[in-house]
Amino acid sequence: MASAIGGLAAKAGHIVEVMSRDPAKAQALAERIGPRALTREFGAEPAGHIVILAVPYLAVLDVVKHYGEGLADKLLVDITNPIKSDFSGFLFPKSSFGAQQIAKAVPAGAEVVKAFNTVPSQALAVGSVGGRPLDVFIAGDAPQAKARVSAFTESLGLRPMDVGPLTMAWTLEHACMLWLGLMTHSIKHTNFSIGVSLPG
Ligand SMILES: NC(=O)c1ccc[n+]([C@@H]2O[C@H](COP(=O)([O-])OP(=O)(O)OC[C@H]3O[C@@H](n4cnc5c(N)ncnc54)[C@H](OP(=O)(O)O)[C@@H]3O)[C@@H](O)[C@H]2O)c1
């Protein structure tokens, strides 16, 4: 997902910073993305305002804790799907959801916006399926933060679709199970994305 989002972002003219526990991996990804990609030490305050949390859900709370105040005032994009590794269900009770746990863990001033979690990396790397731009569902509580993520998404050639407040992240996380169900029982490959059809 870091490669797909970073690649689209660099192509759109953004500067991308890649951060990994393993500096060699960060360097390799930055080189693959191209001259608009830089690296920064894992745990150092990111230079940019928008930070994509492209790590597994089981790691994300530790990663947020590790960055600590370095994430204050940042716009954190939660792309995680907190599902079990065998895809049999969620990692916590149905009353909770991943974005809620992340929002509780971030430093004051940081905003959490859920986005990109319903878009598979294969399709995202291309930006479209069958020539149609991908829909990126966005949930968050701060209108300005959502507007910023929408503008960023649009700049990547994707279609942002605001679905409401951060509590809607619960629904977006469950949509991952919909995607997995479709992949397993109907479509039988991974090059598809869940989207909305509108007239016209
Ligand atoms: N793949 C998809 O199609 C897709 C679609 C939508 C959403 N998502 C979500 O996007 C997120 C990333 O998925 P992905 O497929 O890109 O995963 P991935 O290819 O496995 O990459 C995960 C990244 O997280 C890093 N990481 C793992 N544990 C870490 C830790 N404890 N501390 C710091 N970094 C850690 C890994 O670093 P190392 O290389 O050093 O281990 C790796 O760079 C996940 O939350 C996933 O649910 C994935």
Side-chain angles (χ1 to χ4, degrees), residues 13-122:
H14 299 284
I15 299 290
V16 175
E17 259 187 356
V18 183
M19 303 168 102
S20 164
R21 297 175 291 184
D22 180 344
K25 278 189 178 173
Q27 186 59 37
L29 178 54
E31 281 169 16
R32 275 209 310 282
I33 291 174
R36 288 191 170 278
L38 315 167
T39 60
R40 187 175 287 259
E41 188 191 335
F42 183 75
E45 180 179 340
H49 181 54
I50 298 179
V51 179
I52 315 281
L53 300 170
V55 296
Y57 178 76
L58 281 176
V60 76
L61 298 179
D62 284 344
V63 168
V64 164
K65 210 163 136 196
H66 182 70
Y67 276 79
E69 286 302 309
L71 297 180
D73 302 322
K74 301 289 182 191
L75 200 174
L76 307 179
V77 182
D78 167 26
I79 69 167
T80 66
N81 282 311
I83 54 174
K84 293 180 183 166
S85 55
D86 63 0
F87 305 150
S88 62
F90 290 89
L91 290 165
F92 32 63
K94 285 195 173 138
S95 56
S96 185
F97 56 101
Q100 184 182 53
Q101 301 303 323
I102 295 172
K104 281 185 195 160
V106 301
E111 289 291 347
V112 177
V113 171
K114 188 96 192 174
F116 293 100
N117 75 300
T118 61
V119 187
S121 58
Q122 187 184 352

